[in-house]
């Protein structure tokens, strides 16, 4: 009987060690990786290519270059957008727009599986064991914060309140950056129209010389062209992509938050799996205890 108990204890210890090992290795595998966003680059490049081919097929590309028209559209768009928000909001939006080209890839299912491993390891070896994983989590600051809060031992309600507030703050900041780009995409065509009106007024003032009407009309229409391209081909797609990336980031942080709160409350990991699956797309839901959990979990 004693030998049987010793064998059972040894098996449990081995399973606990295996679970802890898997949880410790998981953060490295699930860590988000930055790579060039092919969809954005291909889409913007293809749109620019189509426009350039159309411009070149009808004459010289030099005819489409007019610095004063560019100044009206670019400078006017930036000025009006800044007037609609604050300098900090506009600067943050342009920074986020630049980072769109380098996509941070998140796999929600891999994140959920990582949360399950951490929860199971915490149940088997105790939440204090998670302290040893903190160095491995530095690549994902929000997860690092979640695990730090768990190991510090505040009430679960406080953990939920702090993490939820942080997720909401980051989501609001991303939404504001997207709103800045969306506003700029609306302003750019309007500034192009204003530039065209300025050019038409100048053209009408020189009707005494008919030879200048054609070139003056072409230059006046260039600002409308610049505004339409900037607003609809560049700024609007960037705003849409920023909104989509913000939704993905919010989903991942919400999964981490649910996991952290569940671990802090010492809930059954099976309940945590059900909670995570309510947020995951149908085709990406976990079957952790049916297929992935070590035998005997």
């Amino acid at each position: 009987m004693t030998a049987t108990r010793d064998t059972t204890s040894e098996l449990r210890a081995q399973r606990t060690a295996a679970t802890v090992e898997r949880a410790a290795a998981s953060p490295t595998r699930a860590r988000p990786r930055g790579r060039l966003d092919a969809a954005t680059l291909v889409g913007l490049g293809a749109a620019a290519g189509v426009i350039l081919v159309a411009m070149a097929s009808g004459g010289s590309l030099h005819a489409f270059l007019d610095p004063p028209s560019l100044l009206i559209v670019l400078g006017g768009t930036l000025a009006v957008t800044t007037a609609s928000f604050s300098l900090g909001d506009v600067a943050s939006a342009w920074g986020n727009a630049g980072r769109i080209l380098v996509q941070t890839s998140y796999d929600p299912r891999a994140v959920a599986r990582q949360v399950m491993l951490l929860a199971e390891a915490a149940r088997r070896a105790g939440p204090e064991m998670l302290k040893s994983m903190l160095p491995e989590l530095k690549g994902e600051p929000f997860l690092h914060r979640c695990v730090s809060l768990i190991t510090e031992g505040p009430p679960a309600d406080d953990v939920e309140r702090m993490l939820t507030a942080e997720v909401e703050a980051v989501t609001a900041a991303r939404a504001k950056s997207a709103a800045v780009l969306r506003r700029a995409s609306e302003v750019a065509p309007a500034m192009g129209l204003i530039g065209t009106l300025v050019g038409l007024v100048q053209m009408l003032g020189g009707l005494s010389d008919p030879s200048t009407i054609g070139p003056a009309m072409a230059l006046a229409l260039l600002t409308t062209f610049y505004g339409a391209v900037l607003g609809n081909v560049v700024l609007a797609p960037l705003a849409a992509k920023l909104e989509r990336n913000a939704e993905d980031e919010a989903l991942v942080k919400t999964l981490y938050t649910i996991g952290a709160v569940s671990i802090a409350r010492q809930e059954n990991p099976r309940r945590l799996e059900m909670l995570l699956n309510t947020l995951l797309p149908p085709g990406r839901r976990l079957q952790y205890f049916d297929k992935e959990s070590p035998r005997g979990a």
Side-chain angles (χ1 to χ4, degrees):
M1 181 68 70
T2 303
T4 303
R5 289 178 179 174
D6 291 343
T7 302
T8 303
S9 299
E10 185 178 348
L11 287 173
R12 288 178 178 174
Q14 290 175 355
R15 289 168 184 162
T16 300
T19 303
V20 172
E21 239 175 69
R22 295 172 71 206
S26 177
T28 302
R29 293 195 302 270
R31 184 175 300 162
R33 297 180 178 180
R35 66 176 188 272
L36 291 178
D37 187 357
T40 303
L41 294 175
V42 171
L44 294 179
V50 169
I51 294 172
L52 287 174
V53 169
M55 291 164 56
S57 63
S60 173
L61 290 177
H62 186 268
F64 289 88
L65 297 178
D66 184 43
S69 298
L70 280 173
L71 179 62
I72 291 175
V73 173
L74 295 177
T77 299
L78 180 60
V80 175
T81 303
T82 303
S84 302
F85 295 90
S86 67
L87 290 173
D89 293 338
V90 174
S92 177
W94 294 127
N96 289 329
R99 284 190 288 271
I100 288 175
L101 300 179
V102 180
Q103 181 187 30
T104 301
S105 60
Y106 290 98
D107 182 356
R109 191 174 188 278
V111 170
R113 180 179 180 276
Q114 179 187 10
V115 169
M116 290 300 304
L117 286 170
L118 291 172
E120 191 176 355
R123 189 183 70 160
R124 288 178 177 274
E128 297 79 11
M129 178 277 304
L130 298 178
K131 286 184 179 179
S132 62
M133 298 183 183
L134 288 175
E136 293 289 331
L137 302 176
K138 290 183 178 179
E140 179 49 63
F142 187 79
L143 178 57
H144 187 277
R145 177 165 170 72
C146 291
V147 175
S148 297
L149 284 174
I150 295 171
T151 57
E152 290 168 5
D157 290 342
D158 291 346
V159 172
E160 183 176 16
R161 184 166 53 252
M162 287 186 286
L163 294 179
T164 300
E166 185 170 342
V167 172
E168 290 175 352
V170 172
T171 302
R174 298 288 187 269
K176 184 170 288 186
S177 294
V180 171
L181 294 179
R182 189 73 67 185
R183 174 62 176 159
S185 70
E186 296 170 355
V187 170
M191 293 306 303
L193 180 59
I194 291 172
T196 296
L197 294 175
V198 171
L200 289 176
V201 170
Q202 294 174 344
M203 181 195 70
L204 293 174
L207 286 179
S208 57
D209 185 3
S211 63
T212 63
I213 295 178
M217 177 66 78
L219 290 177
L221 292 176
L222 276 180
T223 53
T224 298
F225 171 74
Y226 291 151
V229 171
L230 179 63
N232 297 288
V233 179
V234 179
L235 295 174
L238 291 180
K241 181 56 70 74
L242 185 57
E243 290 171 347
R244 178 184 178 278
N245 289 353
E247 291 175 358
D248 292 344
E249 183 180 2
L251 172 60
V252 168
K253 291 185 175 180
T254 301
L255 293 173
Y256 283 142
T257 298
I258 291 175
V261 174
S262 178
I263 294 172
R265 289 176 176 162
Q266 299 182 353
E267 295 178 341
N268 191 317
R270 289 184 179 272
R271 182 177 185 276
L272 173 59
E273 181 183 15
M274 290 188 293
L275 291 175
L276 295 176
N277 281 335
T278 60
L279 295 177
L280 294 173
R284 302 293 295 166
R285 288 177 180 170
L286 286 176
Q287 292 180 320
Y288 182 80
F289 287 103
D290 294 335
K291 295 183 179 180
E292 300 183 36
S293 179
R295 185 174 297 176

